[in-house]
């Protein structure tokens, strides 16, 4: 078992990772002194593969376990599904000493974390992410929430889990397109945080594409390490943490304009990162060579980079509904070369995007 | 202006009180360095009296102000009303630097606080309580939330305001029954925290009933002081803060069984406190004389003390749905004489209540 600490004072917790480690779950929960009753929240796709093992491990350690399956898909990360969870929590009579387990990808993790943050004014919860995206990004850092019909993650809370348990073997059952999509967030850490990591990824494209286990353990650990380091220094996104939104401002707008149907999150972020790289170059923060390297790595991994054709007004409207708008300007994350970042307040994103767009 | 500090580290804030002080509001918000955009959330009854003055003060200090009226009444403190608020926040394009103002009683305060806790993962907010109940209790301490159809306040968060502004002149327009109901929570502080305060209240029944301004300022300050002192030592209700739930376990059950229609919150709490006093006596924590004094003060203030007739099974079921149930037992707050408390885990509340019931 690999163990990595997210340092947040009394809210600190461990990210524990390894291969085929679900049988250890009950034991780890006991070591964390988590309460007697637990609800595992998952979706039918993931539940079919892993719910049995996880539940058995908890039951073997004396826990009273109930489970709840919620529908699969970003479009269900909403108030209606949250209400299903609240109803189930009331019916199962979970109390303040109980805890929740999020078994699944980002949707399950985000909504379960938010339910934990808000049921009885806060229960403990554990993240058991089963997609690459959730393992390297959404399960770490305590961002929880749901979507509003007019924007992603508009409703939520910062609420840290008690533990994150990552079993890399879950990636064996992850569909190809979802796996590739998760690589976008991995590349992101290289672009804004770590030159060496970017080059490691660039040199390991083949290993990444064939899901080499050793390579996977490396990228999960390194990505979590980089994310934990940022989150430890800025838990509530006062400033620094915004760098993790590299590519996301445009990415979110793409997801919103295509109604979350055409692109997976990581695909939209890949396109957003390509555009952001070009804008960074235009504003003098990076060279044309940097942009080419970034775009090339994304393409080699099979990620899209071309901005879908929508009127600039539509893009701007979608971006304005995004939560990162501050007093009229957009706090935009730029790559400063490769491996570093800059933040800039941009007021003319539409014209920048028009000039710099990659694709179309 | 009276000012009282709620000490919670970086989440500390002031409770500012006085007579006819709403014109100062914009100035106070500026002093707190609150952002440019603000949404005042109120209900039609309260809005009619005070929204104009409050809004004018904010506009005079350069704020961009929008307002939202939500329906009045405990039955609207639910997910549907919360959704109305989220929709309005999205439409008004409030950003993370914006803030909310809760102008009204406990319902407006609780739901606005919860919206602030969860919109964009947390906005600043200010409590401007206009009922006695909200002024001496619910606006202080950061408990926010909504009801679930199966229980009160099951959904919520601990989330502190940036300031609480109390204008005692708002009590002039408070209906008699609501005012009297608020006195129940005032008496509660005397019973579990402060013998001297209990006797002050007992000697000032006439002044309380005629809403003497000087007497009101005294009880609002002392009640807030006692609550702030408890909250400072136990922000998230790990233990000590539970004493503020004296009378509430049974009170909540009464409210639930009568579907929030027959009793106001304070009335139900008054009944719950009378029963709790009798149970405390039965368990040897207090004397028959203590119980008589408590019941007598409640009655002199015009508060009910008799337990409504419902099967004990119904009471127990309602109480079991309450959030204070812990591993099968109920953490129950007892008065230890008058002016002090004890906590006890009770597993046979039904038989205790059957033996000890006052009324019926």
């Amino acid at each position: 078992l690999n163990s990595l600490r997210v340092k947040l004072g009394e809210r600190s917790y461990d990210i524990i990772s390894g291969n085929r480690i679900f049988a250890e779950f009950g034991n780890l929960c006991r070591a964390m002194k988590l309460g007697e009753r637990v609800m595992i929240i998952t979706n039918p796709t993931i539940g079919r593969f892993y719910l049995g093992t996880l539940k058995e491990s908890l039951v073997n350690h004396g826990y009273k376990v109930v489970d709840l399956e919620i529908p699969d898909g970003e479009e269900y990360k909403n108030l209606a599904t949250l209400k299903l969870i609240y109803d189930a929590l009331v019916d199962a009579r979970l109390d303040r000493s109980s805890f929740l387990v999020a078994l699944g990808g980002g949707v399950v993790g985000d909504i379960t974390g938010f339910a934990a943050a808000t049921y009885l004014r806060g229960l403990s919860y554990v993240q058991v992410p089963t997609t690459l995206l959730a393992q390297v990004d959404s399960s770490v850092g305590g961002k929880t929430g749901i979507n509003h019909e007019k924007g992603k993650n508009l409703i939520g809370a910062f609420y840290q889990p008690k533990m994150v348990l990552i079993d890399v073997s879950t990636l064996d059952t992850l569909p190809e397109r979802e796996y590739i999509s998760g690589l976008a967030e991995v590349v992101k850490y290289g672009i804004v945080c770590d030159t060496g990591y970017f080059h490691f990824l660039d040199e390991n494209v083949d290993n990444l594409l064939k899901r080499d286990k050793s390579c996977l353990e490396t990228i999960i650990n390194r990505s979590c390490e980089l994310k934990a380091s940022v989150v430890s220094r800025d838990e509530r996104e006062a400033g620094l943490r915004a760098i993790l939104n590299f590519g996301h401002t445009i990415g979110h707008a793409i997801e919103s304009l295509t109604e979350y149907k055409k692109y997976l999150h990581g695909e939209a972020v890949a396109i957003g990162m390509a555009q952001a790289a070009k804008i960074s170059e235009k504003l003098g923060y990076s060279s044309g060579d940097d942009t080419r390297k970034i775009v090339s790595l994304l393409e080699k991994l099979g990620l899209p980079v071309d901005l879908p054709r929508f009127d600039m007004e539509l893009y701007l409207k979608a971006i304005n509904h995004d939560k990162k708008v501050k007093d009229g300007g957009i706090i935009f994350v730029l790559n400063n070369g490769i491996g570093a970042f800059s933040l800039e307040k941009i007021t003319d994103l539409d014209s920048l995007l028009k000039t710099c767009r990659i694709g179309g």
Side-chain angles (χ1 to χ4, degrees), chain A:
Chain A
L1 296 184
N2 308 306
S3 182
L4 176 69
R5 189 84 177 155
V6 184
K7 289 176 192 148
L8 289 165
E10 60 183 15
R11 293 183 301 286
S12 297
Y13 56 95
D14 290 323
I15 304 169
I16 292 162
S17 59
N19 195 20
R20 305 196 178 280
I21 57 175
F22 280 166
E24 293 299 314
F25 189 53
N27 198 20
L28 290 163
C29 290
R30 281 286 170 210
M32 292 290 308
K33 302 196 185 307
L34 292 169
E36 293 308 308
R37 292 189 197 192
V38 45
M39 180 181 286
I40 304 176
I41 298 175
T42 187
N43 67 46
T45 318
I46 297 299
R48 188 161 56 92
F49 291 122
Y50 310 111
L51 180 58
T53 319
L54 216 58
K55 206 168 169 172
E56 194 187 336
S57 174
L58 287 167
V59 169
N60 285 345
H61 284 81
Y63 284 105
K64 288 177 197 152
V65 189
V66 290
D67 58 81
L68 175 72
E69 287 190 345
I70 60 172
D72 195 4
E74 184 78 28
E75 69 271 32
Y76 297 105
K77 200 176 102 174
N78 59 21
L79 265 184
T81 307
L82 184 65
K83 185 168 186 334
L84 287 182
I85 298 176
Y86 288 144
D87 291 346
L89 291 170
V90 173
D91 289 341
R93 303 190 176 203
L94 263 66
D95 62 27
R96 283 193 184 173
S97 66
S98 309
F99 68 105
L100 307 188
V101 174
L103 170 66
V107 171
V108 166
D110 286 3
I111 199 167
T112 301
F114 189 56
T118 55
Y119 189 65
L120 305 184
R121 299 201 188 92
L123 299 181
S124 296
Y125 77 111
V126 173
Q127 291 278 15
V128 185
T130 59
T131 65
L132 181 59
L133 179 66
Q135 290 171 351
V136 299
D137 185 20
S138 59
S139 72
V140 174
K143 275 196 183 180
T144 71
I146 56 176
N147 300 324
H148 184 273
E149 57 221 44
K150 292 192 179 165
K152 221 169 128 71
N153 294 319
L154 291 184
I155 299 161
F158 289 99
Y159 194 69
Q160 302 296 339
K162 294 294 177 197
M163 170 169 67
V164 180
L165 184 78
I166 302 176
D167 189 328
V168 294
S169 78
T170 56
L171 297 181
D172 292 342
T173 53
L174 191 66
E176 182 72 1
R177 196 177 155 200
E178 267 202 72
Y179 172 74
I180 298 292
S181 167
L183 289 173
E185 300 279 359
V186 174
V187 172
K188 180 189 75 179
Y189 295 112
I191 299 175
V192 292
C193 297
D194 185 341
T195 318
Y197 190 38
F198 183 89
H199 291 302
F200 171 86
L201 297 171
D202 204 40
E203 284 154 16
N204 280 273
V205 167
D206 288 347
N207 285 329
L208 288 169
L209 291 179
K210 66 167 115 123
R211 308 191 199 186
D212 176 85
K213 278 273 155 49
S214 149
C215 186
L216 281 178
E217 292 205 28
T218 303
I219 65 165
I220 286 169
N221 274 311
R222 185 63 186 144
S223 298
C224 286
E225 212 166 55
L226 289 166
K227 175 143 191 186
S229 154
V230 171
V231 169
S232 291
R233 284 176 286 164
D234 177 18
E235 183 179 6
R236 298 180 72 90
E237 203 161 21
L240 178 67
R241 187 165 173 167
I243 68 169
L244 302 178
N245 283 323
F246 180 71
H248 283 61
T249 300
I250 295 169
H252 286 164
I254 293 169
E255 287 183 285
S256 161
L257 289 173
T258 54
E259 294 169 327
Y260 301 96
K261 283 173 190 151
K262 186 165 176 195
Y263 298 100
L264 295 180
H265 178 65
E267 293 170 346
V269 167
I271 298 171
M273 292 195 294
Q275 315 302 321
K278 193 77 188 172
I279 291 173
S280 304
E281 178 192 336
K282 169 84 178 176
L283 295 178
Y285 287 92
S286 59
S287 67
D289 193 44
D290 293 330
T291 306
R292 273 187 297 278
K293 278 183 189 157
I294 290 168
V295 171
S296 155
L297 175 55
L298 294 171
E299 286 183 324
K300 282 187 281 183
L301 293 170
L303 285 160
V305 296
D306 290 347
L307 191 72
R309 294 179 158 279
F310 286 104
D311 280 355
M312 276 303 139
E313 289 71 41
L314 288 176
Y315 272 112
L316 213 63
K317 205 175 160 190
I319 287 166
N320 276 330
H321 266 108
D322 202 69
K323 63 185 172 304
K324 283 169 288 296
V325 175
K326 193 181 164 74
D327 296 334
I330 291 154
I331 305 296
F332 202 81
V333 189
L334 301 163
N335 57 298
N336 199 327
I338 290 177
F341 65 91
S342 291
L343 295 176
E344 195 163 302
K345 186 162 167 178
I346 289 182
T347 49
D348 60 337
L349 186 61
D350 50 342
S351 68
L352 268 174
L353 194 53
K354 202 180 277 180
T355 327
C356 299
R357 71 183 296 163
I358 290 173

